[in-house]
Amino acid sequence: MLKNEVIPVLNIFYEDSVNTRLISIISTLYKREEREYLQQLLIGAGERKIEIFIYEADIIHGYALKILCEYCICIKIKLYVQKKTLQSYFLRCGIPSLLINRRSIPEEMNIPVVQETDTNRAVDQIIDSEASEQEFTDELIGRFADVVYSKYGFDFREYQKNSLKRRLQIFVKKERIRGFSRMYEEIFENRENFEKLMIDFPIRTTEFFRDSDVFKVIRNKILPYLDSYPSIKIWCSGCSTGEEPYSLAILLGEAGMLDKTHIYATDLNPNVVEEARNGMFGIETIQKGAENYVNSGGENHFCDYFNFCGKCARIKHQYRNRILFFQHSLTNTGILNEFQLILCRNVLMYFNNSLQNKVLKLFNDSMDLSAFLLLGKSEGIQNNDGNDVFYAYDRENRIYRKKEILTGKENC
Ligand SMILES: C[S@@+](CC[C@H](N)C(=O)[O-])C[C@H]1O[C@@H](n2cnc3c(N)ncnc32)[C@H](O)[C@@H]1O
């Protein structure tokens, strides 16, 4: 029989047998009481094995994740999740979990039926699907983007068709869907399938101090310039899982400028925004970050910026605290604020020229006069209208500054 003795309104239940404690969670654990209750249940399990089932959640609160990480290393815990989004997130944090083969929350919380899934398999090992090249025409992809927009509100209509095509092809292979039309049906019949697509449909690749040369310029030239401002606003657009804004926060901290800076970090994909807010990263991410940090001229121990637990690490509170993460799409053209520095790296490359121009105009309108714009290494302003409103400050590193439009002069 299911129990929830302490606070009945919490969505956490448990059931004990002689050898096992079964904990079922129907929550993202954003309530502090729930996290405390989970901790009590873990401690109270004594010598029993622990099995945890998490239903409905795409993500869980960073502190709950920390608790799980700590318990996963010292006690044998088996973790089952209902959502693939959460499974991928756990995997990136070094926590193995299995998918539950049940669509809804069981009425009787008996041990749910589980299916050992194969999400760890590499895409190229997957059986060949019958999705043929010819099916993914520009016209069909355009129609797909129209329907995604009208049904789910995500606007990919002005993205490069080739990039959308590649992402959809990877998705059908990974999910073993037979062809474009079948994928079309599955995605529009069932929101859960769309959520699966969104796990990494907008490419989310990122790193701490990615392109370390760029961070060297930020450290040695841009921050000393910005230090003359009494307060500083930075917008990191397309921030993915947060490594980029956290790298900035680390630099600002080292320069003694963090307290006077507000960093706004935004992304189209709500999943990555939640992950970024948690600030939890797997060990491999930290190792790569440490290498980049040193290459960018960092002189401290990169690990000192994190609290380690199990196979992951959480960025320290003082850095998480300074960043406001929220979901925002660059296809919405509303001006955000007057920023002194805008980073939008490795995002424009997925947009067609017309959308690139709109976004560059949006950045220009959202900037202070002498502000800096940083784009990705394979992006720029040569092939769009960016030259009208920006000039190159450091062409190689794709760093630009706002032009004074009225006089046509460049600011110094
Ligand atoms: C390749 S990642 C780049 C991350 C980071 N800027 C970097 O360079 O390491 C691209 C990010 O842009 C986001 N993105 C794509 N389209 C967007 C849009 N319309 N508005 C805001 N973010 C978007 C994606 O969700 C993804 O997280």
Side-chain angles (χ1 to χ4, degrees):
M1 192 56 208
L2 279 178
K3 285 180 264 188
N4 179 338
E5 287 160 352
V6 182
I7 309 171
V9 290
L10 297 183
N11 286 320
I12 302 182
F13 305 88
Y14 77 96
E15 188 176 7
D16 282 342
S17 65
V18 184
N19 299 321
T20 312
R21 168 161 286 188
L22 171 73
I23 301 173
S24 298
I25 300 169
I26 315 160
S27 160
T28 48
L29 299 167
Y30 273 65
K31 284 191 196 150
R32 188 159 52 84
E33 297 93 319
E34 289 178 338
R35 299 194 291 276
E36 285 169 359
Y37 186 42
L38 171 64
Q39 206 157 14
Q40 278 179 35
L41 290 180
L42 293 169
I43 295 167
E47 295 298 303
R48 292 185 192 89
K49 282 187 287 174
I50 299 172
E51 297 195 356
I52 301 179
F53 295 82
I54 305 179
Y55 298 93
E56 304 232 309
D58 288 311
I59 187 136
I60 60 167
H61 187 276
Y63 190 70
L65 190 60
K66 185 169 168 283
I67 297 172
L68 289 183
C69 286
E70 282 163 358
Y71 273 86
C72 282
I73 44 170
C74 52
I75 297 176
K76 193 120 188 70
I77 292 187
K78 262 196 161 183
L79 200 56
Y80 301 95
V81 296
Q82 187 191 29
K83 292 282 195 98
K84 202 161 183 171
T85 329
L86 185 59
Q87 189 189 35
S88 322
Y89 180 44
F90 278 157
L91 203 62
R92 280 191 293 285
C93 294
I95 307 175
S97 65
L98 296 167
L99 273 189
I100 304 167
N101 190 19
R102 280 242 185 141
R103 290 199 169 264
S104 56
I105 305 160
E107 282 169 21
E108 267 296 319
M109 290 273 196
N110 296 318
I111 293 182
V113 182
V114 293
Q115 174 195 23
E116 307 241 344
T117 55
D118 45 5
T119 46
N120 291 347
R121 67 192 188 260
V123 173
D124 50 10
Q125 289 172 343
I126 294 165
I127 56 156
D128 204 14
S129 81
E130 285 174 3
S132 71
E133 262 301 291
Q134 295 88 326
E135 274 187 296
F136 290 81
T137 60
D138 280 4
E139 196 200 332
L140 280 182
I141 287 174
R143 206 179 304 159
F144 176 83
D146 285 342
V147 185
V148 166
Y149 180 59
S150 58
K151 187 157 168 101
Y152 297 117
F154 288 92
D155 191 355
F156 298 111
R157 292 174 299 172
E158 289 190 274
Y159 280 49
Q160 305 263 13
K161 293 279 186 313
N162 272 347
S163 150
L164 292 182
K165 176 174 164 176
R166 255 195 319 278
R167 304 308 295 164
L168 289 175
Q169 284 174 329
I170 289 174
F171 179 71
V172 296
K173 276 197 170 185
K174 203 168 166 185
E175 294 300 321
R176 305 174 185 210
I177 299 171
R178 298 200 175 274
F180 187 91
S181 343
R182 187 78 202 108
M183 177 205 65
Y184 196 87
E185 282 166 25
E186 291 201 5
I187 288 199
F188 297 119
E189 272 167 13
N190 185 345
R191 189 178 176 102
E192 229 174 82
N193 289 327
F194 176 68
E195 286 170 6
K196 270 190 211 159
L197 173 75
M198 281 298 284
I199 292 175
D200 46 16
F201 180 63
I203 295 178
R204 52 158 77 201
T205 314
T206 185
E207 285 170 11
F208 283 100
F209 293 90
R210 179 182 194 179
D211 301 320
S212 46
D213 285 351
V214 175
F215 280 90
K216 211 178 253 178
V217 180
I218 301 178
R219 182 195 295 278
N220 296 331
K221 295 192 175 162
I222 298 181
L223 293 193
Y225 174 83
L226 294 183
D227 202 14
S228 58
Y229 287 76
S231 72
I232 302 162
K233 286 195 210 109
I234 298 179
W235 178 15
C236 186
S237 176
C239 66
S240 189
T241 39
E243 287 86 333
E244 192 172 62
Y246 286 128
S247 305
L248 282 172
I250 289 172
L251 280 191
L252 286 156
E254 290 182 1
M257 296 163 64
L258 189 56
D259 287 347
K260 65 170 177 175
T261 306
H262 294 277
I263 304 177
Y264 298 77
T266 61
D267 200 284
L268 154 90
N269 188 344
N271 299 325
V272 297
V273 172
E274 290 299 329
E275 288 187 29
R277 202 175 280 137
N278 268 348
M280 192 76 102
F281 302 96
I283 292 295
E284 282 165 21
T285 303
I286 305 290
Q287 280 166 346
K288 180 70 188 140
E291 204 181 302
N292 291 346
Y293 170 76
V294 170
N295 292 338
S296 77
E299 290 175 354
N300 295 340
H301 289 292
F302 186 64
C303 292
D304 290 347
Y305 295 109
F306 298 86
N307 290 318
F308 284 79
C309 47
K311 289 185 182 163
C312 52
R314 192 169 198 206
I315 185 127
K316 287 189 174 162
H317 184 253
Q318 62 262 42
Y319 304 100
R320 288 205 312 277
N321 218 14
R322 299 306 303 176
I323 306 176
L324 187 65
F325 287 102
F326 58 99
Q327 187 191 357
H328 171 270
S329 174
L330 287 166
T331 52
N332 304 332
T333 45
I335 298 167
L336 271 195
N337 216 319
E338 296 237 310
F339 295 98
Q340 281 82 44
L341 171 61
I342 297 180
L343 284 85
C344 182
R345 302 192 312 146
N346 308 300
V347 183
L348 289 196
M349 62 203 272
Y350 302 111
F351 297 171
N352 69 17
N353 255 30
S354 144
L355 183 55
Q356 287 189 17
N357 287 336
K358 283 184 220 165
V359 171
L360 287 169
K361 161 113 182 46
L362 164 71
F363 288 153
N364 200 271
D365 291 342
S366 308
M367 275 179 158
D368 226 27
L369 254 193
S370 317
F372 295 86
L373 170 69
L374 273 65
L375 300 179
K377 277 283 175 118
S378 47
E379 298 164 333
I381 58 171
Q382 314 82 282
N383 301 324
N384 46 45
D385 299 341
N387 268 317
D388 298 347
V389 283
F390 293 102
Y391 69 95
Y393 168 80
D394 177 341
R395 200 176 298 279
E396 201 191 323
N397 287 311
R398 304 294 195 266
I399 303 178
Y400 303 92
R401 289 187 88 175
K402 179 169 171 157
K403 273 183 185 174
E404 262 184 65
I405 304 284
L406 287 177
T407 61
K409 273 191 224 146
E410 295 172 358
N411 309 305
C412 296

